[in-house]
Amino acid sequence: MTAMLSVLEFHLVNYRRTWRSSALTTLVMPLLVMLGFGVGVGAYVEGGVGGVPYLDWIVPGLIASTALQAAVGEATWPVFSYFEWLKVYFAQAAAPLRVADILGGHLAFMLFRIVLSAAVFLAVAAAFGTLHSWWAPLTLVVALLVGLAVAAPTVAYAASVSSDSYLIILMRFAVLPMSLFSGVFFPIGSLPELLRWVAYVFPLWHGVELSRDAILGTSPGLLGLVHVACLLAWCAAGCLLAHVRFRRRLVI
């Protein structure tokens, strides 16, 4: 555990030097998305969705989607560069660090970035008066689950490819469809049945539903346990696969 915390400290020290480059984007993007989709598009959605104003309805999905975007951003090119360009992982493996320490420390940093981005979005949402329940802070826990469920398998993928062109393929054929068809902007009930089942499999939809229940103050019931179980399954499978890929690359 101490070794893993040392790896986390390494990433935090690096972030302390570069946080200004992402701070403005982290704050401005929620404002632009809220104004563009929530206020702009919402003006044309009469009656909202299920009696909930459109802006209020999409906010939970946007927070979960923010966790997705932050996870993908931290788990793609940074991981690939640490293997192929900067060789940071190999330098860490030469120190008295286990593969689990290297991977765990970096995943912990990713979770820090994910919850930070989600917290900023939640604060902006509160300023717009879109939070309907005192359970709304639980969306940060959901963001952590969504973030790890996305980041872990993405790390495994980034550790497996030989060119960053494959990362662009991931963005186009996995991340973009998941962002569009997971109930963030419209209920997935309006999708064809095949696409609905695709949404059920991907982790984002489960995070969107849990976030929406927390912010709107509705009870998820037993379905909430299914959502949590699916997210945990993605987390466990992703972490296991990432550890296997890291071990193959770092252990001689």
Side-chain angles (χ1 to χ4, degrees):
M1 179 63 72
T2 302
M4 188 184 76
L5 292 177
S6 297
V7 176
L8 171 60
E9 182 182 5
F10 164 79
H11 292 289
L12 290 174
V13 169
N14 281 341
Y15 182 65
R16 186 177 62 183
R17 298 168 179 164
T18 61
W19 68 271
R20 294 174 183 83
S21 63
S22 61
L24 184 61
T25 303
T26 302
L27 178 61
V28 171
M29 283 304 294
L31 289 171
L32 294 178
V33 172
M34 296 273 284
L35 291 172
F37 285 100
V39 178
V41 177
Y44 296 93
V45 184
E46 297 182 3
V49 179
V52 179
Y54 185 69
L55 174 60
D56 299 19
W57 189 84
I58 68 169
V59 159
L62 291 174
I63 294 176
S65 182
T66 296
L68 164 74
Q69 299 296 334
V72 171
E74 293 293 332
T76 48
W77 275 272
V79 172
F80 181 82
S81 67
Y82 276 14
F83 274 117
E84 299 294 336
W85 299 329
L86 303 178
K87 307 295 184 181
V88 171
Y89 289 138
F90 296 101
Q92 291 177 339
L97 292 171
R98 300 174 303 164
V99 172
D101 299 326
I102 298 171
L103 175 61
H106 202 172
L107 283 174
F109 173 74
M110 292 178 194
L111 292 180
F112 163 75
R113 291 283 289 117
I114 290 164
V115 76
L116 181 62
S117 298
V120 171
F121 208 120
L122 186 65
V124 173
F128 274 77
T130 60
L131 307 185
H132 292 234
S133 170
W134 290 104
W135 293 104
L138 284 179
T139 54
L140 299 182
V141 179
V142 176
L144 284 175
L145 285 174
V146 172
L148 184 58
V150 172
T154 303
V155 165
Y157 179 80
S160 304
V161 298
S162 57
S163 169
D164 62 336
S165 298
Y166 291 102
L167 301 180
I168 299 174
I169 294 174
L170 176 72
M171 300 293 287
R172 290 179 178 175
F173 294 102
V175 177
L176 182 59
M178 191 176 1
S179 300
L180 293 177
F181 303 122
S182 293
V184 177
F185 302 105
F186 53 86
I188 66 170
S190 60
L191 292 172
E193 185 174 358
L194 177 61
L195 288 180
R196 286 203 302 271
W197 279 103
V198 172
Y200 296 153
V201 172
F202 282 133
L204 181 57
W205 176 71
H206 301 283
V208 169
E209 291 296 301
L210 288 173
S211 296
R212 192 160 283 141
D213 287 328
I215 286 183
L216 298 182
T218 56
S219 173
L222 292 178
L223 186 58
L225 296 178
V226 176
H227 292 319
V228 172
C230 289
L231 289 173
L232 290 176
W234 271 96
C235 293
C239 287
L240 178 60
L241 185 58
H243 187 272
V244 170
R245 296 307 306 170
F246 267 55
R247 188 171 182 81
R248 287 184 181 178
R249 295 290 301 272
L250 299 177
V251 177
I252 300 176

